[in-house]
């Protein structure tokens, strides 16, 4: 995710115990109970210079289920789309919270939503991919891929790219849902609960895989143009050798590709050929965000780290929220936004890394990335509570 800042920006991780890593690194297909593997830091008071004011809140079904499926909402234009694990999908006016429509699908939803060009795309536990019309929620088409889908399907002008939990990448015709090609990768014996999310542009698709490799696929055929090892498995046990690339690669306007990996590194590559620009040791399962020329990464011990996108040098690090099971970061009007396992939303100043605001949404916790538009933040809690906040000043 690349974001242009509205305010100017000033220009260790090791697994703590095998038990902690094992709690994080569940067998693919096993359900997480949503509890932190480590001992989270207690929240401390700070000088709150930003306020998070509630604009509206709604309930979306029964939430993400005991497995905490990553069903993140999505916004296009002035409409916000959200869903629950049982198959309910709803559309809301982003300003007022008015419910525009609601549909009940006959398939349990497992993926984040992707609202783009008049459709909402999503994946299900039984390997279905469904396209809904944004106007009324009617089903435009259904298709099937090889296994459960946890990552939001990603689109270019012609194709919808779907990454399923068995490591397969399927290209579907965006208009009809017909299969165009399939790319298959090797899977390790043990993987994190989750998959990478493809980064799709018209000519190629960048995919991060559970074996620690990053591949660039030709969208005409699905053939790999290049692939490289981002994280190398080390250690004797399957847990120690986890190297999943579960975040989405981030592509900058000038052709740099930023990739995170679990138990590995953050790397910047030259996108056309995969040449390494820089790398730094930092374990992350989350998609980073690029704001101007600063890359923000939430590490696996829930440190928020700002890296110089040119060099990979660390600019600042905030460890006030250590082990609080933070979501992937979002950006709202000069501040980084994250949610945590106790249902708090935290604001961090993007310039210096200081905490500047906090509010609690729901004690069921927050596990999916907030959706932001300017100074507006949409947050969905694990039990389905959907709240819209406005940042001031």
């Amino acid at each position: 995710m690349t974001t242009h800042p509205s305010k100017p920006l000033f220009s260790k991780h090791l697994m703590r115990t095998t038990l902690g890593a094992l709690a994080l690194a569940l067998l693919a297909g096993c359900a997480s109970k949503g509890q932190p593997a480590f001992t989270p830091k207690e929240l401390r008071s700070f000088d709150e210079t930003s306020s998070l004011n509630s604009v509206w809140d709604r309930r979306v079904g029964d939430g993400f289920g005991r497995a905490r499926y990553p069903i993140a909402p999505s916004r296009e234009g002035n409409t916000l789309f959200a869903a629950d694990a049982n198959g309910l999908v709803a559309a809301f006016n982003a300003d007022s919270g008015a419910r525009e429509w609601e549909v009940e699908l006959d398939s349990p939803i497992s993926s984040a939503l992707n609202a783009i060009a008049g459709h909402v795309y999503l994946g299900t536990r039984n390997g279905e991919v469904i396209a809904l019309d944004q106007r009324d929620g009617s089903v435009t088409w259904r298709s099937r891929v090889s296994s459960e889908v946890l990552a939001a399907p990603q689109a270019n002008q012609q194709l919808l790219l779907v990454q399923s939990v068995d490591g397969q990448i399927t290209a579907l015709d965006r208009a009809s849902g017909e299969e165009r090609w399939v790319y298959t990768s090797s899977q390790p014996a043990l993987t994190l609960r989750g998959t990478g999310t493809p980064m799709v542009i018209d000519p190629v698709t960048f995919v991060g895989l559970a074996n620690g490799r990053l591949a660039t696929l030709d969208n005409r055929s699905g053939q790999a143009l290049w692939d490289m090892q981002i994280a190398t498995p080390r250690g004797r046990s399957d847990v120690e050798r986890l190297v999943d690339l579960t975040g989405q690669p981030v592509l900058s306007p000038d052709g740099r590709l930023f990739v995170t990996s679990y138990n590995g590194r953050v790397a910047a590559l030259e996108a056309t050929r995969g040449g390494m620009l820089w790398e730094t040791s930092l374990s992350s399962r989350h998609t980073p965000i690029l704001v101007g020329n600063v890359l923000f990464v939430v590490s696996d011990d829930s440190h928020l780290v700002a890296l110089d996108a040119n060099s990979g040098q660390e600019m600042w690090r905030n460890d006030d929220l250590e082990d609080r099971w933070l979501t992937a970061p979002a950006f709202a009007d000069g501040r980084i936004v994250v949610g945590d396992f106790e249902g708090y939303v935290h604001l961090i100043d993007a310039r210096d890394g200081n905490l500047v605001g906090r509010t609690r949404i729901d004690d069921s916790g927050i596990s999916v990335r907030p959706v932001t538009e300017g100074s507006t933040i949409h947050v969905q809690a694990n039990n389905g509570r959907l709240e819209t906040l406005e940042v001031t000043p």
Side-chain angles (χ1 to χ4, degrees):
M1 176 179 178
T2 303
T3 310
H4 299 289
S6 57
K7 295 183 179 181
L9 300 183
F10 300 142
S11 268
K12 120 187 162 183
H13 177 76
L14 295 173
M15 291 184 294
R16 301 188 178 182
T17 64
T18 301
L19 179 61
L22 186 59
L24 171 65
L26 299 174
L27 284 169
C30 293
S32 164
K33 294 185 183 296
Q35 297 300 316
F38 309 130
T39 302
K41 270 192 177 180
E42 292 186 8
L43 297 180
R44 300 181 182 277
S45 60
F46 60 93
D47 183 19
E48 293 195 38
T49 57
S50 296
S51 297
L52 285 160
N53 304 305
S54 180
V55 179
W56 57 263
D57 67 87
R58 298 288 182 270
R59 187 65 177 259
V60 183
D62 296 322
F64 304 150
R66 295 183 64 186
R68 296 289 187 263
Y69 285 99
I71 311 172
S74 183
R75 176 173 171 168
E76 185 172 42
N78 202 39
T79 307
L80 181 69
F81 304 91
D84 79 351
N86 295 325
L88 182 144
V89 186
F92 302 90
N93 180 285
D95 292 333
S96 68
R99 195 178 299 252
E100 297 178 353
W101 52 257
E102 182 178 291
V103 297
E104 289 271 6
L105 302 176
D106 56 3
S107 299
I109 297 171
S110 53
S111 84
L113 309 185
N114 187 10
I116 182 171
H119 282 89
V120 180
Y121 301 102
L122 56 89
T124 73
R125 277 178 258 172
N126 58 14
E128 268 196 302
V129 180
I130 302 175
L132 303 178
D133 192 311
Q134 286 189 17
R135 293 171 297 183
D136 57 12
S138 59
V139 175
T140 302
W141 55 256
R142 292 176 184 251
S143 189
R144 191 170 292 277
V145 295
S146 57
S147 63
E148 181 182 42
V149 180
L150 297 177
Q154 300 294 306
N156 66 7
Q157 294 294 322
Q158 293 82 31
L159 299 176
L160 189 74
L161 277 295
V162 183
Q163 189 160 353
S164 45
V165 297
D166 60 358
Q168 185 167 292
I169 316 299
T170 304
L172 304 173
D173 184 283
R174 202 170 117 186
S176 67
E178 288 186 49
E179 183 181 297
R180 294 304 182 201
W181 51 258
V182 173
Y183 175 83
T184 302
S185 65
S186 62
Q187 287 281 89
L190 188 71
T191 70
L192 295 178
R193 174 60 172 168
T195 64
T197 300
M199 165 56 69
V200 184
I201 56 177
D202 278 343
V204 298
T205 294
F206 304 99
V207 292
L209 304 169
N211 58 14
R213 300 190 73 83
L214 178 75
T216 299
L217 309 181
D218 187 329
N219 283 339
R220 296 170 298 183
S221 64
Q223 296 296 309
L225 300 176
W226 58 261
D227 75 283
M228 67 179 298
Q229 194 77 39
I230 297 296
T232 303
R234 293 184 175 87
R236 295 184 178 182
S237 72
D238 287 336
V239 171
E240 291 174 318
R241 295 174 63 81
L242 286 165
V243 289
D244 300 50
L245 274 60
T246 55
Q248 184 178 35
V250 171
L251 183 64
S252 72
D254 60 2
R256 292 174 293 167
L257 195 66
F258 301 94
V259 185
T260 59
S261 61
Y262 177 75
N263 215 16
R265 56 185 175 170
V266 177
L269 311 171
E270 195 274 315
T272 55
R273 292 183 175 83
M276 184 68 70
L277 299 175
W278 56 258
E279 58 183 293
T280 187
S281 179
L282 186 64
S283 176
S284 176
R285 295 168 293 120
H286 291 307
T287 301
I289 54 171
L290 183 65
V291 184
N293 208 39
V294 182
L295 188 72
F296 297 94
V297 181
V298 169
S299 70
D300 284 318
D301 51 7
S302 290
H303 291 191
L304 178 62
V305 183
L307 302 174
D308 185 307
N310 285 331
S311 65
Q313 292 296 308
E314 187 172 310
M315 300 171 64
W316 54 254
R317 177 184 292 247
N318 183 307
D319 63 0
D320 295 338
L321 307 173
E322 184 173 271
D323 292 340
R324 294 193 62 84
W325 224 237
L326 297 184
T327 66
F331 181 80
D333 196 23
R335 281 143 286 202
I336 306 301
V337 186
V338 290
D340 76 12
F341 80 104
E342 288 188 316
Y344 288 95
V345 174
H346 307 273
L347 294 181
I348 297 97
D349 193 310
R351 296 167 296 181
D352 55 24
N354 290 324
L355 276 166
V356 294
R358 174 187 298 147
T359 193
R360 195 173 198 180
I361 299 300
D362 192 276
D363 62 10
S364 66
I366 302 167
S367 57
V368 297
R369 170 192 250 165
V371 174
T372 58
E373 182 73 27
S375 59
T376 301
I377 304 169
H378 307 287
V379 185
Q380 190 169 359
N382 292 330
N383 67 356
R385 179 187 175 93
L386 179 65
E387 185 152 357
T388 292
L389 306 166
E390 190 71 22
V391 181
T392 56

